Amino acid sequence: MHAQVGIIGAGPAGLMLARLLQLNGISCVVLESRSQAYVESRVRAGLLEQGSVDLMTQTGLDARMRREWMVHDGTEYIAGGQRAHVDMWDLIQRRIYIYGQQEVVKDMIAVNTAAGVPVLFEAEAREIGGLDTDRPWIRYLHRGMEQTLTCDFIAGCDGFHGIARPAIPDAIRRDYVRDYPFGWLGILADAPPTLPELIYCQNEERGFALFTMRSPKVSRCYLQVPPYEDEANWSDDRIWHELSLRLGKHEGIALSTGTITQKSVTPMRSFVSEPMRHGRLFLAGDAAHIVPPTGAKGMNLAISDVYVLSRALTEFYKTGATTRFDSYTGTCLRRVWGAQHFSWWMTSMMHNLPDESAFDRKRQLAELRAVLGSRAGRTFLAENYAGLPLEM
Ligand code: APR
Ligand code: PHB
Protein backbone atom coordinates (compact mmCIF):
# COMPACT_ATOMS: atom_id res chain seq x y z
CA MET A 1 0.00 0.00 0.00
CA HIS A 2 1.16 3.57 -0.68
CA ALA A 3 -0.05 6.97 0.53
CA GLN A 4 1.52 10.39 0.37
CA VAL A 5 1.44 10.60 4.16
CA GLY A 6 1.42 7.63 6.54
CA ILE A 7 -0.13 8.63 9.87
CA ILE A 8 0.49 6.53 12.96
CA GLY A 9 -2.19 6.99 15.64
CA ALA A 10 -5.90 7.85 15.59
CA GLY A 11 -5.99 10.30 18.48
CA PRO A 12 -6.85 13.99 18.00
CA ALA A 13 -3.45 14.64 16.32
CA GLY A 14 -3.60 11.85 13.72
CA LEU A 15 -7.29 12.31 12.94
CA MET A 16 -7.15 16.10 12.61
CA LEU A 17 -4.10 15.78 10.35
CA ALA A 18 -5.93 13.24 8.18
CA ARG A 19 -8.85 15.65 7.83
CA LEU A 20 -6.63 18.62 6.93
CA LEU A 21 -4.67 16.60 4.36
CA GLN A 22 -7.79 15.16 2.77
CA LEU A 23 -9.26 18.66 2.38
CA ASN A 24 -6.03 19.71 0.65
CA GLY A 25 -6.06 16.79 -1.75
CA ILE A 26 -3.19 14.88 -0.09
CA SER A 27 -3.67 11.14 0.33
CA CYS A 28 -3.06 9.49 3.70
CA VAL A 29 -3.65 6.30 5.66
CA VAL A 30 -4.17 6.29 9.43
CA LEU A 31 -2.89 3.24 11.34
CA GLU A 32 -4.28 2.77 14.87
CA SER A 33 -3.22 -0.12 17.09
CA ARG A 34 -6.40 -0.11 19.21
CA SER A 35 -9.98 -0.91 18.24
CA GLN A 36 -12.42 1.81 17.19
CA ALA A 37 -14.56 1.10 20.28
CA TYR A 38 -11.51 1.55 22.52
CA VAL A 39 -10.40 4.92 21.12
CA GLU A 40 -13.95 6.22 21.09
CA SER A 41 -14.51 5.45 24.76
CA ARG A 42 -11.13 6.48 26.21
CA VAL A 43 -11.93 9.15 28.80
CA ARG A 44 -9.57 12.12 28.66
CA ALA A 45 -9.84 15.86 29.32
CA GLY A 46 -12.44 17.88 27.46
CA LEU A 47 -11.57 21.54 27.08
CA LEU A 48 -11.23 23.16 23.67
CA GLU A 49 -9.56 26.50 23.11
CA GLN A 50 -11.00 28.98 20.60
CA GLY A 51 -8.25 28.16 18.07
CA SER A 52 -9.12 24.44 18.18
CA VAL A 53 -12.83 25.20 17.80
CA ASP A 54 -12.12 27.52 14.85
CA LEU A 55 -10.09 24.83 13.09
CA MET A 56 -12.74 22.19 13.76
CA THR A 57 -15.31 24.58 12.29
CA GLN A 58 -13.24 25.31 9.17
CA THR A 59 -12.81 21.58 8.60
CA GLY A 60 -16.47 20.64 9.11
CA LEU A 61 -15.93 18.79 12.38
CA ASP A 62 -18.22 20.99 14.42
CA ALA A 63 -21.83 19.90 13.77
CA ARG A 64 -22.46 17.71 16.85
CA MET A 65 -19.99 19.67 18.95
CA ARG A 66 -22.04 22.86 18.52
CA ARG A 67 -25.17 21.08 19.72
CA GLU A 68 -23.57 19.45 22.74
CA TRP A 69 -20.73 21.63 23.96
CA MET A 70 -20.89 23.87 27.01
CA VAL A 71 -19.58 27.37 26.36
CA HIS A 72 -17.76 29.11 29.23
CA ASP A 73 -17.12 32.83 29.45
CA GLY A 74 -15.42 32.55 32.83
CA THR A 75 -13.95 30.26 35.48
CA GLU A 76 -14.23 30.09 39.26
CA TYR A 77 -11.24 29.76 41.57
CA ILE A 78 -11.24 28.95 45.27
CA ALA A 79 -8.00 29.57 47.13
CA GLY A 80 -7.31 30.28 50.78
CA GLY A 81 -11.03 29.81 51.41
CA GLN A 82 -11.84 32.78 49.10
CA ARG A 83 -13.75 32.69 45.82
CA ALA A 84 -12.56 34.56 42.74
CA HIS A 85 -14.07 34.78 39.29
CA VAL A 86 -11.99 35.12 36.13
CA ASP A 87 -14.28 36.60 33.50
CA MET A 88 -12.45 35.69 30.29
CA TRP A 89 -15.02 37.33 28.08
CA ASP A 90 -14.74 40.66 29.88
CA LEU A 91 -10.93 40.50 30.10
CA ILE A 92 -9.96 39.24 26.65
CA GLN A 93 -13.20 38.65 24.68
CA ARG A 94 -12.44 34.94 24.35
CA ARG A 95 -13.98 31.84 25.88
CA ILE A 96 -13.42 28.09 26.28
CA TYR A 97 -15.60 25.14 25.29
CA ILE A 98 -16.24 21.92 27.19
CA TYR A 99 -16.63 18.88 24.93
CA GLY A 100 -15.06 15.51 25.82
CA GLN A 101 -11.98 14.40 23.91
CA GLN A 102 -13.59 11.06 23.09
CA GLU A 103 -16.49 12.95 21.49
CA VAL A 104 -14.00 14.94 19.41
CA VAL A 105 -12.37 11.64 18.39
CA LYS A 106 -15.74 10.07 17.49
CA ASP A 107 -16.63 13.06 15.28
CA MET A 108 -13.21 13.05 13.62
CA ILE A 109 -13.45 9.31 12.85
CA ALA A 110 -16.98 9.68 11.44
CA VAL A 111 -16.11 12.64 9.19
CA ASN A 112 -12.82 11.13 7.96
CA THR A 113 -14.39 7.77 7.19
CA ALA A 114 -17.36 9.38 5.41
CA ALA A 115 -14.85 11.31 3.27
CA GLY A 116 -13.15 8.03 2.33
CA VAL A 117 -9.95 8.43 4.38
CA PRO A 118 -8.67 4.96 5.29
CA VAL A 119 -8.51 4.70 9.10
CA LEU A 120 -7.31 1.19 9.93
CA PHE A 121 -8.04 0.05 13.48
CA GLU A 122 -6.17 -2.80 15.18
CA ALA A 123 -3.31 -1.94 12.84
CA GLU A 124 -0.18 -1.68 14.94
CA ALA A 125 2.87 0.06 13.49
CA ARG A 126 5.86 -2.12 14.41
CA GLU A 127 8.76 -0.41 12.70
CA ILE A 128 9.46 2.64 10.57
CA GLY A 129 12.42 3.30 8.29
CA GLY A 130 13.76 5.06 5.23
CA LEU A 131 13.44 8.37 7.08
CA ASP A 132 16.47 9.80 5.27
CA THR A 133 15.16 8.74 1.86
CA ASP A 134 12.21 10.01 -0.20
CA ARG A 135 10.38 6.70 0.31
CA PRO A 136 9.96 6.08 4.05
CA TRP A 137 7.97 3.02 5.12
CA ILE A 138 5.88 1.72 8.01
CA ARG A 139 5.74 -1.99 8.79
CA TYR A 140 2.49 -2.79 10.57
CA LEU A 141 0.42 -5.72 11.73
CA HIS A 142 -3.21 -5.77 10.63
CA ARG A 143 -5.60 -8.72 11.06
CA GLY A 144 -2.66 -10.98 11.90
CA MET A 145 -0.79 -10.06 8.72
CA GLU A 146 2.38 -8.05 8.49
CA GLN A 147 2.10 -5.36 5.82
CA THR A 148 4.11 -2.40 4.59
CA LEU A 149 2.88 1.10 3.88
CA THR A 150 5.24 3.17 1.77
CA CYS A 151 4.80 6.92 1.80
CA ASP A 152 6.44 10.28 1.09
CA PHE A 153 6.23 11.36 4.74
CA ILE A 154 5.43 9.76 8.10
CA ALA A 155 3.45 11.58 10.80
CA GLY A 156 4.18 10.12 14.23
CA CYS A 157 0.89 10.92 16.02
CA ASP A 158 1.22 7.81 18.18
CA GLY A 159 1.19 9.32 21.65
CA PHE A 160 3.76 9.19 24.42
CA HIS A 161 4.31 5.40 24.24
CA GLY A 162 4.47 5.17 20.44
CA ILE A 163 7.28 3.99 18.17
CA ALA A 164 7.87 7.20 16.22
CA ARG A 165 9.81 9.26 18.77
CA PRO A 166 12.30 6.45 19.55
CA ALA A 167 13.04 6.23 15.79
CA ILE A 168 14.87 9.56 16.08
CA PRO A 169 18.46 8.65 17.00
CA ASP A 170 19.45 9.31 20.63
CA ALA A 171 22.41 11.36 19.46
CA ILE A 172 20.06 13.89 17.86
CA ARG A 173 17.21 13.85 20.36
CA ARG A 174 16.97 15.86 23.53
CA ASP A 175 14.24 15.18 26.11
CA TYR A 176 13.15 17.65 28.80
CA VAL A 177 11.21 16.03 31.66
CA ARG A 178 9.60 16.98 34.94
CA ASP A 179 7.60 14.49 36.97
CA TYR A 180 5.27 15.72 39.71
CA PRO A 181 4.94 14.01 43.09
CA PHE A 182 1.17 13.66 42.67
CA GLY A 183 -1.47 12.50 40.21
CA TRP A 184 -5.14 13.15 39.53
CA LEU A 185 -7.97 10.83 40.41
CA GLY A 186 -10.62 11.65 37.79
CA ILE A 187 -14.26 10.64 38.00
CA LEU A 188 -17.33 10.87 35.82
CA ALA A 189 -20.62 11.04 37.71
CA ASP A 190 -24.29 11.22 36.89
CA ALA A 191 -24.60 14.53 38.68
CA PRO A 192 -25.33 18.02 37.33
CA PRO A 193 -22.32 20.36 37.47
CA THR A 194 -21.78 21.91 40.93
CA LEU A 195 -21.67 25.37 39.26
CA PRO A 196 -22.29 26.25 35.60
CA GLU A 197 -18.56 27.14 35.38
CA LEU A 198 -15.42 25.12 36.17
CA ILE A 199 -14.13 25.47 39.74
CA TYR A 200 -10.37 25.22 40.33
CA CYS A 201 -9.87 24.73 44.02
CA GLN A 202 -6.67 24.94 46.09
CA ASN A 203 -7.21 23.76 49.65
CA GLU A 204 -4.30 24.61 51.90
CA GLU A 205 -4.70 21.50 54.08
CA ARG A 206 -5.99 18.89 51.62
CA GLY A 207 -4.75 19.79 48.14
CA PHE A 208 -6.21 20.45 44.72
CA ALA A 209 -9.67 19.65 43.35
CA LEU A 210 -11.31 20.53 40.04
CA PHE A 211 -15.03 20.51 39.32
CA THR A 212 -15.76 20.32 35.61
CA MET A 213 -18.48 18.68 33.53
CA ARG A 214 -19.47 16.90 30.36
CA SER A 215 -23.17 17.84 30.07
CA PRO A 216 -25.94 19.42 32.17
CA LYS A 217 -26.36 15.98 33.75
CA VAL A 218 -22.77 14.71 33.97
CA SER A 219 -20.00 16.02 36.23
CA ARG A 220 -16.29 15.36 35.82
CA CYS A 221 -14.25 15.96 38.97
CA TYR A 222 -10.58 15.55 39.82
CA LEU A 223 -8.70 15.19 43.11
CA GLN A 224 -4.98 15.53 43.71
CA VAL A 225 -3.75 12.12 44.98
CA PRO A 226 -0.34 10.39 45.32
CA PRO A 227 1.08 9.66 41.81
CA TYR A 228 0.48 5.93 41.58
CA GLU A 229 -2.52 5.77 43.90
CA ASP A 230 -4.75 2.71 43.43
CA GLU A 231 -8.26 3.90 42.58
CA ALA A 232 -9.55 0.89 44.52
CA ASN A 233 -8.59 2.87 47.66
CA TRP A 234 -11.25 5.41 46.74
CA SER A 235 -14.80 4.34 47.46
CA ASP A 236 -17.54 6.58 46.05
CA ASP A 237 -18.28 7.88 49.56
CA ARG A 238 -14.65 8.72 50.17
CA ILE A 239 -14.44 10.60 46.85
CA TRP A 240 -17.54 12.72 47.55
CA HIS A 241 -16.41 13.39 51.13
CA GLU A 242 -12.97 14.51 49.98
CA LEU A 243 -14.39 16.67 47.16
CA SER A 244 -16.69 18.31 49.67
CA LEU A 245 -13.84 19.01 52.12
CA ARG A 246 -11.59 20.47 49.42
CA LEU A 247 -14.38 22.64 48.05
CA GLY A 248 -15.26 24.00 51.50
CA LYS A 249 -18.37 25.96 52.34
CA HIS A 250 -19.26 28.94 50.16
CA GLU A 251 -22.48 30.82 49.71
CA GLY A 252 -24.25 29.76 46.55
CA ILE A 253 -22.15 26.59 46.00
CA ALA A 254 -23.61 23.20 46.91
CA LEU A 255 -21.60 20.13 45.88
CA SER A 256 -23.64 18.11 43.44
CA THR A 257 -23.28 14.35 43.90
CA GLY A 258 -24.56 11.25 42.08
CA THR A 259 -23.57 7.81 40.85
CA ILE A 260 -19.89 7.57 39.89
CA THR A 261 -19.64 5.80 36.52
CA GLN A 262 -15.88 5.92 35.90
CA LYS A 263 -12.71 6.51 37.92
CA SER A 264 -9.03 6.45 37.05
CA VAL A 265 -5.72 7.85 38.26
CA THR A 266 -3.30 9.68 35.93
CA PRO A 267 0.25 10.51 36.95
CA MET A 268 1.38 14.03 36.01
CA ARG A 269 4.33 14.87 33.86
CA SER A 270 5.77 17.70 31.78
CA PHE A 271 7.78 16.40 28.82
CA VAL A 272 9.17 17.85 25.60
CA SER A 273 11.29 16.07 23.01
CA GLU A 274 13.15 17.89 20.29
CA PRO A 275 13.54 17.93 17.36
CA MET A 276 9.98 17.20 16.26
CA ARG A 277 11.22 16.37 12.76
CA HIS A 278 13.86 13.92 11.57
CA GLY A 279 14.22 13.58 7.80
CA ARG A 280 10.77 12.63 6.55
CA LEU A 281 9.36 11.85 9.99
CA PHE A 282 7.32 14.48 11.82
CA LEU A 283 6.13 14.07 15.42
CA ALA A 284 2.90 15.70 16.60
CA GLY A 285 0.91 15.79 19.84
CA ASP A 286 1.70 13.53 22.80
CA ALA A 287 4.38 11.74 20.73
CA ALA A 288 6.50 14.87 21.16
CA HIS A 289 5.26 16.45 24.38
CA ILE A 290 3.11 15.87 27.45
CA VAL A 291 1.62 18.51 29.74
CA PRO A 292 0.13 17.99 33.19
CA PRO A 293 -3.66 18.22 32.79
CA THR A 294 -4.07 21.46 34.79
CA GLY A 295 -5.41 23.79 32.11
CA ALA A 296 -6.14 20.90 29.69
CA LYS A 297 -3.69 21.88 26.98
CA GLY A 298 -2.92 18.34 25.65
CA MET A 299 -5.57 18.01 22.95
CA ASN A 300 -5.18 21.67 21.92
CA LEU A 301 -1.44 21.27 21.41
CA ALA A 302 -2.03 18.13 19.34
CA ILE A 303 -4.39 20.14 17.12
CA SER A 304 -2.02 23.11 16.73
CA ASP A 305 0.95 20.85 15.84
CA VAL A 306 -0.92 19.18 13.00
CA TYR A 307 -2.23 22.51 11.78
CA VAL A 308 1.40 23.63 11.34
CA LEU A 309 2.32 20.28 9.77
CA SER A 310 -0.59 20.34 7.34
CA ARG A 311 0.45 23.79 6.12
CA ALA A 312 4.00 22.56 5.54
CA LEU A 313 2.83 19.48 3.63
CA THR A 314 0.27 21.43 1.60
CA GLU A 315 2.87 24.00 0.58
CA PHE A 316 5.30 21.23 -0.38
CA TYR A 317 2.80 19.45 -2.60
CA LYS A 318 1.69 22.71 -4.21
CA THR A 319 5.07 24.38 -4.78
CA GLY A 320 7.84 21.96 -3.81
CA ALA A 321 8.95 24.38 -1.05
CA THR A 322 10.52 22.75 2.02
CA THR A 323 11.09 25.83 4.19
CA ARG A 324 8.13 24.98 6.43
CA PHE A 325 9.63 21.53 7.07
CA ASP A 326 12.80 23.20 8.31
CA SER A 327 10.88 25.55 10.60
CA TYR A 328 8.41 22.87 11.86
CA THR A 329 10.19 22.10 15.14
CA GLY A 330 10.80 25.77 15.97
CA THR A 331 7.26 26.88 15.11
CA CYS A 332 5.61 24.11 17.14
CA LEU A 333 7.94 24.40 20.10
CA ARG A 334 7.30 28.13 20.59
CA ARG A 335 3.67 27.32 21.32
CA VAL A 336 4.48 24.07 23.13
CA TRP A 337 6.82 25.82 25.56
CA GLY A 338 4.23 28.56 26.12
CA ALA A 339 1.71 25.88 27.07
CA GLN A 340 4.35 23.99 29.06
CA HIS A 341 5.06 27.06 31.12
CA PHE A 342 1.38 27.75 31.72
CA SER A 343 0.56 24.13 32.64
CA TRP A 344 3.53 23.93 35.02
CA TRP A 345 2.62 27.29 36.57
CA MET A 346 -1.06 26.39 37.10
CA THR A 347 0.00 23.01 38.46
CA SER A 348 2.55 24.37 40.91
CA MET A 349 0.28 27.19 42.03
CA MET A 350 -2.73 24.93 42.68
CA HIS A 351 -1.28 21.71 44.19
CA ASN A 352 0.17 20.85 47.58
CA LEU A 353 3.65 19.39 47.36
CA PRO A 354 4.26 16.57 49.86
CA ASP A 355 7.53 18.03 51.21
CA GLU A 356 6.54 21.69 50.96
CA SER A 357 7.59 23.93 53.84
CA ALA A 358 5.16 26.18 55.69
CA PHE A 359 6.90 29.09 53.96
CA ASP A 360 6.23 27.62 50.51
CA ARG A 361 2.56 27.08 51.35
CA LYS A 362 2.13 30.72 52.39
CA ARG A 363 4.07 31.94 49.34
CA GLN A 364 1.84 29.86 47.07
CA LEU A 365 -1.27 31.38 48.59
CA ALA A 366 0.18 34.88 48.21
CA GLU A 367 0.85 34.14 44.52
CA LEU A 368 -2.73 32.99 43.99
CA ARG A 369 -4.03 36.11 45.72
CA ALA A 370 -1.76 38.32 43.61
CA VAL A 371 -2.85 36.69 40.34
CA LEU A 372 -6.56 36.49 41.10
CA GLY A 373 -6.68 39.85 42.88
CA SER A 374 -5.43 42.03 40.02
CA ARG A 375 -6.88 42.62 36.58
CA ALA A 376 -3.40 42.24 35.07
CA GLY A 377 -2.98 38.85 36.81
CA ARG A 378 -6.40 37.62 35.74
CA THR A 379 -5.73 38.79 32.18
CA PHE A 380 -2.48 36.81 31.99
CA LEU A 381 -4.28 33.76 33.34
CA ALA A 382 -7.20 34.19 30.93
CA GLU A 383 -5.00 34.74 27.85
CA ASN A 384 -3.10 31.53 28.44
CA TYR A 385 -6.10 29.52 29.59
CA ALA A 386 -8.18 30.49 26.53
CA GLY A 387 -5.19 29.58 24.38
CA LEU A 388 -2.30 31.03 22.42
CA PRO A 389 -2.66 31.53 18.64
CA LEU A 390 -2.59 28.27 16.61
CA GLU A 391 0.64 29.24 14.88
CA MET A 392 3.04 31.60 16.68
N1 APR B 1 0.69 1.84 16.01
C1 APR B 1 -0.52 2.40 15.80
N2 APR B 1 -1.10 3.23 16.69
C2 APR B 1 -0.44 3.52 17.83
C3 APR B 1 0.84 2.97 18.10
C4 APR B 1 1.40 2.09 17.13
N3 APR B 1 2.59 1.54 17.33
N4 APR B 1 1.24 3.43 19.31
C5 APR B 1 0.26 4.22 19.77
N5 APR B 1 -0.76 4.29 18.88
C6 APR B 1 -2.01 5.04 18.99
C7 APR B 1 -2.66 4.99 20.38
O1 APR B 1 -3.43 3.81 20.55
C8 APR B 1 -3.51 6.24 20.37
O2 APR B 1 -4.82 5.98 19.93
O3 APR B 1 -1.75 6.41 18.83
C9 APR B 1 -2.81 7.17 19.38
C10 APR B 1 -2.28 8.41 20.03
O4 APR B 1 -3.37 9.20 20.45
P1 APR B 1 -3.36 10.10 21.78
O5 APR B 1 -2.69 9.37 22.87
O6 APR B 1 -4.75 10.57 21.97
O7 APR B 1 -2.37 11.31 21.38
P2 APR B 1 -2.60 12.61 20.50
O8 APR B 1 -3.40 12.35 19.29
O9 APR B 1 -1.27 13.24 20.40
O10 APR B 1 -3.53 13.53 21.41
C11 APR B 1 -3.07 14.14 22.58
O11 APR B 1 -4.48 12.90 24.01
O12 APR B 1 -3.28 11.80 25.68
C12 APR B 1 -4.17 12.79 25.40
O13 APR B 1 -3.98 14.38 27.07
C13 APR B 1 -3.56 14.04 25.80
O14 APR B 1 -5.28 15.42 25.21
C14 APR B 1 -4.03 14.97 24.77
C15 APR B 1 -4.22 14.20 23.53
C1 PHB C 1 -11.94 18.40 31.87
O1 PHB C 1 -13.08 18.85 31.65
O2 PHB C 1 -11.70 17.18 31.82
C2 PHB C 1 -10.85 19.32 32.27
C3 PHB C 1 -11.08 20.68 32.26
C4 PHB C 1 -10.09 21.55 32.66
C5 PHB C 1 -8.88 21.04 33.08
C6 PHB C 1 -8.63 19.68 33.08
C7 PHB C 1 -9.62 18.82 32.67
O3 PHB C 1 -7.93 21.91 33.52
Side-chain angles (χ1 to χ4, degrees), residues 295-358:
K297 295 291 174 215
M299 171 166 49
N300 297 289
L301 284 179
I303 289 175
S304 54
D305 284 352
V306 298
Y307 171 71
V308 176
L309 180 54
S310 73
R311 292 190 63 183
L313 289 165
T314 305
E315 188 168 285
F316 172 79
Y317 282 111
K318 276 201 182 120
T319 69
T322 56
T323 43
R324 283 180 189 267
F325 293 156
D326 299 332
S327 57
Y328 177 69
T329 294
T331 303
C332 290
L333 287 186
R334 262 195 300 283
R335 191 178 198 281
V336 166
W337 276 111
Q340 284 291 356
H341 170 259
F342 179 68
S343 307
W344 163 84
W345 179 62
M346 281 276 275
T347 301
S348 52
M349 197 164 58
M350 303 292 309
H351 291 75
N352 292 3
L353 288 165
D355 52 359
E356 205 169 35
S357 67

Side-chain angles (χ1 to χ4, degrees), residues 50 72-74 86-95 382:
Q50 186 67 55
H72 292 253
D73 287 352
V86 175
D87 187 333
M88 283 176 287
W89 187 251
D90 172 52
L91 292 163
I92 58 165
Q93 293 75 56
R94 282 192 289 145
R95 29 171 76 106

Side-chain angles (χ1 to χ4, degrees), residues 44-47 98 184 198 200 210 212-214 220 222 293-296 346 385:
R44 298 267 180 80
L47 184 156
I98 291 292
W184 276 13
L198 276 69
Y200 286 84
L210 169 60
T212 165
M213 63 211 64
R214 287 293 173 270
R220 175 115 173 111
Y222 298 96
T294 330
M346 281 276 275
Y385 189 70

Side-chain angles (χ1 to χ4, degrees), residues 140-203:
Y140 66 99
L141 195 67
H142 189 218
R143 301 199 177 118
M145 285 198 1
E146 203 160 88
Q147 318 218 18
T148 302
L149 173 69
T150 57
C151 33
D152 301 343
F153 299 95
I154 298 177
C157 303
D158 50 351
F160 184 68
H161 300 287
I163 63 157
R165 190 179 64 255
I168 300 181
D170 285 349
I172 297 173
R173 230 177 70 210
R174 171 132 196 226
D175 293 349
Y176 302 82
V177 192
R178 175 183 286 251
D179 285 313
Y180 297 87
F182 43 78
W184 276 13
L185 168 66
I187 61 150
L188 275 174
D190 292 331
T194 287
L195 278 186
E197 293 184 341
L198 276 69
I199 314 171
Y200 286 84
C201 188
Q202 145 61 224
N203 184 297

